[in-house]
Amino acid sequence: MKQITITGTTNQKIFLQDNDSEHIEVYTKKISGMLESKNVIVLHTTSSSIVIRPSDIFAIEVTNIEVPEDPKKPTEQEPEEKKEDDQEDTLTDMEVSKEEW
């Protein structure tokens, strides 16, 4: 996954994410091509789309980020060994009538 940080000429930052698997150098070259345009352009990513005026962009940073595993996805776990509890029966002194025996 790619994290795209667009910094405007007023130092305002816009953060986007894209689920693109291309190598970062190829991806960055495609993104940098938009800076050559003199017109307003639309940048589409998997997280959103943004309308950009290239003359108002100071810098674009593209980084690879790791996506955490989906917590809802079941993971393989080894079955736990059943432990036999060492249970001891403890007898206490009680008054019991002979009829209850």
Side-chain angles (χ1 to χ4, degrees):
M1 179 174 277
K2 309 283 190 282
Q3 172 77 38
I4 305 164
T5 306
I6 300 172
T7 305
T9 54
T10 59
N11 285 332
Q12 181 182 10
K13 293 186 186 262
I14 300 169
F15 300 97
L16 303 170
Q17 292 182 345
D18 197 1
N19 248 356
D20 197 297
S21 60
E22 279 188 305
H23 192 273
I24 194 163
E25 290 177 10
V26 174
Y27 189 84
T28 304
K29 285 181 182 181
K30 286 182 179 180
I31 294 287
S32 68
M34 72 181 196
L35 293 175
E36 297 172 0
S37 176
K38 299 202 185 292
N39 301 322
V40 172
I41 58 169
V42 178
L43 174 61
H44 298 283
T45 66
T46 53
S47 66
S48 62
S49 295
I50 185 169
V51 179
I52 300 174
R53 182 183 308 274
S55 61
D56 291 339
I57 295 175
F58 175 71
I60 300 175
E61 178 183 17
V62 179
T63 54
N64 282 319
I65 58 174
E66 301 247 348
V67 179
E69 289 186 27
D70 187 3
K72 295 177 184 175
K73 183 178 177 182
T75 57
E76 290 184 25
Q77 295 179 352
E78 292 182 22
E80 289 185 25
E81 291 182 22
K82 291 185 180 180
K83 295 181 181 178
E84 292 185 22
D85 292 333
D86 292 334
Q87 294 181 352
E88 294 180 7
D89 290 334
T90 306
L91 297 175
T92 58
D93 291 336
M94 297 175 34
E95 288 188 27
V96 179
S97 66
K98 291 182 180 179
E99 293 149 4
E100 291 178 335
W101 276 101

